[in-house]
Amino acid sequence: MTDGFQLRYDGPIATLAIDNGPVNTVDPDLIENLIKTLPSLTEDPAVRCIVVRGKGKVFVGGADITVMRRLEPATYRAMRRWVEVERALELAPKPVVAALNGHALGGGAELALACDLRILHARATFGFPETGLGIFPGAGGSQRLPRLVGPHRAKRLIMDGTRLTAEQALDAGLVDLVASDNFDEVVAREAARLAALPTATVGLVKQVIDRGWGLPIDEAMAVEEEFVLRNLQLEDAAEGLQAFLDKRPPSFTGR
Ligand code: DAK
């Protein structure tokens, strides 16, 4: 029995590869195992970038339809915990890359929406085919997609269940980069770039935007102020500002 994923560390970069059946489907065991493991990545200061990818030719083919078919409240509650996996990555105090090495569909696309950078393989598709099954993206997709592309476009994409080509996904702003034969190289380059950032500052950026988004502006400013004060206490703020004055490149530790 496996956990449904594999973990690899390359210096400050942790790569989590979903490895769950022929098309890396999401099921309750995978969800629980990820929920148990993610804190070891999100809370470890030595990990300064997390990469999530799929093993084999697919990223994540969505929820396991044999499980979803049971249509029982207990199953739905268990599957619904996929949103906790997404949220852990969304709020991880470090950059998270979705390395979409193959098709990212349904729950797989929903997971990708919670990541900070999405890199899609040129031969892969990205989309929400749930309506073709009579259901809708109920693990975060119906809420994150409109935040990303606006409600009109989100309704169209979800209603039609269109599987977008990589080029279409890039045009629609659903992914940030497309790569083909050099996919692994591009992922490694982007992960290394992100891992060298002032990680704790990046963590604050993720949280201040998450907390302030949608609040009335005065409340949002109060949230910003709280995070500004936290930022000024970071070692990397002292290093970045001093490096500028010393006319040298900064050397960030992530703290
Ligand atoms: N579930 C179960 N089995 C699946 C599967 C899936 N999502 N996708 C594929 N399989 C199975 C296939 O039936 C096939 O099985 P055998 O025939 O060999 O027994 C095997 O995996 C290999 O599939 P293919 O032969 O189709 O492989 P290809 O490489 O040709 O194509 C594919 C890969 C991923 C493009 C294709 O399999 C595909 O389109 N799969 C279906 C994708 C899909 O519809 N995904 C959305 C699932 S719904 C919620 C929680 C979560 C969600 C919603 C609500 N709540 C708690 C409310 C999320 C929903 C979804 O994600």
Side-chain angles (χ1 to χ4, degrees):
M1 207 180 105
T2 70
D3 289 333
F5 61 87
Q6 295 174 16
L7 258 182
R8 199 186 73 213
Y9 294 90
D10 303 299
I13 301 164
T15 299
L16 193 159
I18 309 290
D19 183 9
N20 205 32
V23 301
N24 297 327
T25 42
V26 180
D27 58 39
D29 285 344
L30 171 68
I31 295 173
E32 291 311 312
N33 290 334
L34 284 172
I35 287 174
K36 262 186 244 139
T37 299
L38 278 175
S40 72
L41 305 181
T42 58
E43 289 167 18
D44 181 352
V47 174
R48 294 176 62 188
C49 179
I50 300 171
V51 176
V52 184
R53 59 178 299 149
K55 195 89 185 145
K57 291 206 171 114
V58 173
F59 170 63
V60 170
D64 184 331
I65 296 169
T66 61
V67 175
M68 296 295 283
R69 174 64 186 90
R70 291 180 211 146
L71 291 172
E72 291 154 1
T75 310
Y76 266 63
R77 273 197 300 278
M79 290 300 287
R80 176 77 188 158
R81 274 166 65 79
W82 191 233
V83 301
E84 289 172 43
V85 172
E86 295 163 356
R87 195 72 179 134
L89 294 171
E90 190 166 53
L91 285 181
K94 58 196 66 183
V96 179
V97 178
L100 309 170
N101 55 295
H103 303 296
L105 298 169
E110 291 181 301
L111 178 71
L113 291 186
C115 299
D116 302 307
L117 186 77
R118 287 176 282 284
I119 307 174
L120 182 60
H121 196 289
R123 284 188 295 276
T125 57
F126 187 100
F128 300 90
E130 282 92 336
T131 57
L133 301 164
I135 60 175
F136 74 88
S142 74
Q143 302 308 307
R144 285 198 182 90
L145 190 61
R147 282 168 165 76
L148 183 65
V149 298
H152 177 76
R153 205 165 203 182
K155 282 180 201 164
R156 289 282 312 280
L157 286 168
I158 292 175
M159 275 194 263
D160 297 345
T162 316
R163 296 171 187 229
L164 300 175
T165 63
E167 202 181 322
Q168 289 169 332
L170 186 66
D171 279 353
L174 290 170
V175 299
D176 303 288
L177 289 171
V178 170
S180 51
D181 294 340
N182 59 347
F183 181 82
D184 288 347
E185 213 175 282
V186 171
V187 170
R189 182 193 74 203
E190 289 301 311
R193 183 179 65 75
L194 293 168
L197 292 173
T199 312
T201 304
V202 169
L204 292 181
V205 169
K206 290 178 65 167
Q207 290 175 41
V208 74
I209 292 176
D210 187 87
R211 288 259 309 270
W213 177 256
L215 288 181
I217 191 70
D218 288 328
E219 287 174 40
M221 289 300 155
V223 171
E224 185 183 58
E225 183 171 11
E226 178 199 326
F227 277 78
V228 165
L229 296 175
R230 284 167 65 182
N231 190 183
L232 294 181
Q233 286 158 17
L234 295 177
E235 285 175 28
D236 280 343
E239 164 60 11
L241 296 166
Q242 190 59 47
F244 179 86
L245 297 175
D246 295 346
K247 299 190 186 303
R248 62 173 171 83
S251 173
F252 293 125
T253 60
R255 290 189 292 274

